[in-house]
Amino acid sequence: MPVRALSGRRNAQRCAAEALLALALLSAVPARAQWSGQVSVTNDERWRGRSISAGRPAATLSLGYDDRSGIYADASATVAALPQGVALVSAGVDAGYAWRLSGGHVLDVGVTRREFRSAATTPRGSGYTEAYLGIGGRSLSARLHYSPDYLWRDTSTLYATVDGVARPAPGWRLLAHAGAMQFLGTVPRYSADRTQMDYSLGVAKRFGRIDAQLAWSGGAPGTDFYRGAAHARRAVTLVLSLGF
């Protein structure tokens, strides 16, 4: 077996083990904490305006922990039906602390670590660590993220997001997202532009325990490159989620 293939296989196994370890650690917290879990499937797994599943179906398992003190943590893993078979494409954990403010707003601060393995539009075996600060309410939220190693060692970025939700009728939600990322210092060789943007507009409806979201998303500038060809960053996706 070629050394590169063996290394990639070990990296994928290590990434899966890290995600499972995080889930195990979360399950060891006191019972007084509030738990949440979710399984979701989609026709195309999107990440910041790009496909990480080569435009193919994917599934995500996530588990979250929310303590009464304000401490929270989440872990997730995503697999996709790639041309070479089902493979782990992404896994991540994040942890933080949330303060409840007057007027129903929440201020939170935390750290995220995400790894990409067989993802279509990121360097193979790459990942990043981000620290973030955010504030949110019932209808609008914003976050500022800083990463010192965004997909590449010594590549720092700032990423700002704004998310909105409107509830026009019981069970229905209208969703909007906008994000802008700025490379700090030298632009890495995998990107031709210092600033990247992503956006999405969607509608969501609950059907019992199933949450369905239909969204149009994209990003600029540039295109996606996977399966040996260039692809537009715009896509229409359907996500079905089951909480437990």
Side-chain angles (χ1 to χ4, degrees):
M1 180 181 292
V3 174
R4 179 176 295 182
L6 180 60
S7 176
R9 184 175 178 181
R10 287 174 176 170
N11 283 341
Q13 292 172 340
R14 180 171 63 85
C15 187
E18 289 172 352
L20 291 174
L21 177 60
L23 292 174
L25 290 174
L26 288 177
S27 65
V29 299
R32 71 186 183 90
Q34 181 176 346
W35 283 90
S36 63
Q38 181 174 275
V39 177
S40 63
V41 294
T42 180
N43 61 303
D44 184 3
E45 184 65 23
R46 310 289 294 176
W47 169 75
R48 298 188 180 180
R50 297 183 182 275
S51 174
I52 61 171
S53 63
R56 299 170 69 90
T60 299
L61 170 65
S62 60
L63 182 64
Y65 152 66
D66 189 359
D67 191 82
R68 296 176 186 174
S69 67
I71 296 173
Y72 65 88
D74 300 279
S76 66
T78 299
V79 297
L82 301 179
Q84 65 269 28
V86 176
L88 178 73
V89 295
S90 175
V93 295
D94 68 86
Y97 190 89
W99 292 266
R100 294 196 175 276
L101 307 177
S102 60
H105 293 85
V106 175
L107 179 70
D108 71 306
V109 60
V111 177
T112 295
R113 178 63 193 177
R114 181 162 294 279
E115 297 280 345
F116 298 102
R117 293 307 172 193
S118 302
T121 56
T122 61
R124 183 177 295 274
S126 62
Y128 63 90
T129 302
E130 275 186 338
Y132 60 83
L133 174 67
I135 186 168
R138 176 173 170 79
S139 301
L140 195 65
S141 63
R143 266 187 178 181
L144 182 64
H145 311 243
Y146 168 75
S147 173
D149 60 351
Y150 189 77
L151 304 182
W152 209 265
R153 189 172 58 183
D154 299 325
T155 299
S156 56
T157 59
L158 280 178
Y159 179 54
T161 63
V162 177
D163 291 271
V165 56
R167 299 170 177 82
W172 287 89
R173 307 188 312 280
L174 301 178
L175 309 172
H177 163 84
M181 187 180 71
Q182 180 80 14
F183 286 103
L184 306 176
T186 303
V187 178
R189 65 173 183 244
Y190 62 78
S191 177
D193 301 281
R194 181 171 294 276
T195 302
Q196 297 280 330
M197 304 183 70
D198 64 278
Y199 53 85
S200 67
L201 294 172
V203 59
K205 176 71 168 68
R206 290 200 66 86
F207 300 92
R209 295 178 59 194
I210 302 294
D211 187 75
Q213 295 187 24
L214 182 66
W216 174 74
S217 64
T223 58
D224 274 346
F225 288 90
Y226 52 85
R227 286 188 277 178
H231 296 263
R233 292 178 64 178
R234 297 179 299 276
V236 174
T237 57
L238 175 65
V239 181
L240 300 177
S241 303
L242 173 65
F244 58 88

